[in-house]
Amino acid sequence: MEIIAYAAFFLTIAMTYAIICLGLNVQWGQTGLFNVGIAGFVGLGAYVSAALTTPDAAERIGGFELPIAIGWLAAMAAGGVLALAVGMLTLRMRSDYLAITTFGIAVALQLVFQNTESLTGGAFGMAFIPRPFAVLQGQASAFNLANLAVTLAVVLAIYLLLEHLLRSPWGRALRAVREDEIAAQALGKKPVLLRIQAFALGGAIMALAGAVQAHFIGFIAPGNYLPMMTFQVWAMLIVGGSGNNRGAVLGAVLVWAIWALSGALISEVFPADQQARAASLQIVVIGVMLCLILLWRPQGILPEVRSVSRHLGRRNKDI
């Protein structure tokens, strides 16, 4: 039963990263927007949802004890609004401005999480975050399996939504802007508006992932949302296959498995007083794997499926 409980716990965390990867895939895989502030959007979603759903606490503002679903919706709204504001300010400029801005926002948010004790609990974090199926916490297997089912349902819903959008005129317009902005603009598309929409959608999905993860673990702290998370998510998407939603999910599971296994190996091999320094080897392992994947399959394990108009095939048959 312990193996089942751990497997369900592992997959639940992996699925929260899969949600983040799906959000990044909208921004980068479909639109070519380089977001290096992923941790900031995830952390914002986690803190917004936690503030709305936790019990009242004398030492900080918040604690409205609202339902978890309300917290998740509010997290999506907060992430979407932040991404919308960033997009409106930067997406008219060169793409490197977006990278600089998103990184700065992520660092600024992390500092806010750490220093505003009256709002976020500061360095001590926020505890007593309500967890789905809390009545089952005494039964590890049942609790983790129930939360895994909820997280899988969220992943499936987002995946189906994004697949529908991918095949819609809006999704085709995004890829057209990504491939050739001038040609897309000549066909009547509005590149800046499309980029802003895609960036806002991706930010909302990332914030939702932070809320889902926070409510599963039950505790959040500023140290959870460092730039390392951004590196992890980018590695997941590149390994799985940028532009492919299935690749985003696969990459999340694969890279999280390697990260977790390497961490367990380090704890077994190195003595306790050296484990903190040896933990940097996890980054080395992910980096080596990333290089090998790029050499073996430069477009990822499941690369983007290129599609052409169905009318083109008919025309070729007529000829």
Side-chain angles (χ1 to χ4, degrees), residues 52-66:
L52 292 176
T53 59
T54 49
D56 186 26
E59 66 274 9
R60 61 176 174 80
I61 303 170
F64 299 104
E65 296 187 272
L66 294 175

Side-chain angles (χ1 to χ4, degrees), residues 235-250:
M236 290 169 178
L237 184 61
I238 293 172
V239 168
S242 176
N244 190 324
N245 289 320
R246 289 181 298 169
V249 176
L250 174 64

Side-chain angles (χ1 to χ4, degrees), residues 156-238:
L156 180 61
I158 295 174
Y159 172 83
L160 293 175
L161 171 64
L162 295 182
E163 283 292 301
H164 174 73
L165 291 176
L166 177 66
R167 291 171 171 80
S168 70
W170 184 77
R172 292 194 294 270
L174 286 184
R175 295 193 298 279
V177 170
R178 180 194 66 187
E179 298 296 336
D180 193 331
E181 178 179 344
I182 296 176
Q185 195 167 11
L187 293 172
K189 306 303 179 184
K190 298 180 179 179
V192 174
L193 179 60
L194 288 167
R195 288 196 182 105
I196 291 174
Q197 292 172 347
F199 197 71
L201 176 59
I205 293 173
M206 292 175 185
L208 172 62
V212 173
Q213 193 176 82
H215 284 276
F216 173 62
I217 298 173
F219 172 80
I220 54 175
N224 298 346
Y225 308 108
L226 297 174
M228 179 55 60
M229 172 180 280
T230 299
F231 167 76
Q232 287 177 307
V233 176
W234 269 104
M236 290 169 178
L237 184 61
I238 293 172

Side-chain angles (χ1 to χ4, degrees), residues 45 48-49 52 69-79 207:
V48 167
S49 185
L52 292 176
I70 299 297
W72 289 5
L73 292 174
M76 290 185 68

Side-chain angles (χ1 to χ4, degrees), residues 35 37-46 79 82-83 86 102 105 109 199 203 206-207:
N35 181 0
I38 297 168
F41 290 96
V42 176
L44 177 65
L82 176 63
V86 173
T102 52
I105 287 175
L109 283 174
F199 197 71
M206 292 175 185

